[in-house]
Amino acid sequence: MSNYPSELRYAKSHEWLRDDGNGLYTVGITEHAQELLGDLVYVELPEVGAELNAGDSAGVVESVKAASDIYAPVSGEVVAVNETLADAPEKVNKEPFKGGWLFKIKISEEAELDDLLDADGYAEHVDSGE
């Protein structure tokens, strides 16, 4: 059974978002998503400085089973990427909510946060099989 920390916001496309303060947010993929993908072997991250709109493809994760796009859960500028994943993509599997984070974004549209799910809403979304 997957874990959905209550302090995070979730996109229906299975990314999570953590408020780091001052308009900065950390983005990763959920435990549920990494479990579906299986063992990750490669992670492609966005460029620092890239401007993303909510729903834009921000990168790719590849596993032994499949490849999947990573989507920006909110609009903004990418201000940091988790460079340790280049040599250790398995961190996303081992620590999806901590060391396996993907990138940090400076949000440009605070109202987009209202479009994301809380932990209970995300659990219902996963259970619905959408």
Side-chain angles (χ1 to χ4, degrees), residues 9 14 19 21 23 50 58-60 62 67 76-77 95 107 111 115 117-118:
R9 302 282 214 144
H14 308 291
D19 186 354
V60 175
E62 290 183 25
E77 178 185 355
E95 307 171 40
I107 193 168
D115 296 333
L117 303 170
D118 63 12

Side-chain angles (χ1 to χ4, degrees), residues 1-5 10-16 28-38 40 65 68 92-93 96-97 119 122-130:
M1 179 162 182
S2 297
N3 174 31
Y4 311 119
Y10 300 88
K12 288 184 177 180
S13 53
H14 308 291
E15 291 81 17
W16 57 259
I29 63 170
T30 66
E31 189 173 289
H32 171 75
Q34 64 84 20
E35 286 174 354
L36 289 176
L37 287 165
L40 294 183
K65 292 181 182 177
S68 181
V92 176
N93 295 110
F97 299 113
Y122 182 70
E124 288 175 19
H125 171 69
V126 169
D127 289 345
S128 74
E130 286 183 45

Side-chain angles (χ1 to χ4, degrees), residues 17-119:
L17 195 72
R18 181 178 51 231
D19 186 354
D20 294 335
N22 298 321
L24 294 176
Y25 290 84
T26 300
V27 178
I29 63 170
T30 66
E31 189 173 289
H32 171 75
Q34 64 84 20
E35 286 174 354
L36 289 176
L37 287 165
D39 294 335
L40 294 183
V41 295
Y42 177 74
V43 178
E44 178 185 304
L45 298 172
E47 299 275 329
V48 172
E51 292 284 342
L52 300 172
N53 293 313
D56 282 355
S57 178
V60 175
V61 288
E62 290 183 25
S63 72
V64 294
K65 292 181 182 177
S68 181
D69 284 335
I70 304 162
Y71 298 100
V74 292
S75 300
E77 178 185 355
V78 176
V79 296
V81 297
N82 188 351
E83 295 180 6
T84 65
L85 298 179
D87 294 327
E90 68 277 6
K91 277 184 142 184
V92 176
N93 295 110
K94 293 179 181 174
E95 307 171 40
F97 299 113
K98 294 185 179 174
W101 63 275
L102 301 175
F103 60 94
K104 295 180 184 279
I105 191 165
K106 175 87 172 163
I107 193 168
S108 61
E109 300 289 336
E110 293 272 344
E112 292 176 352
L113 294 170
D114 295 338
D115 296 333
L116 301 176
L117 303 170
D118 63 12

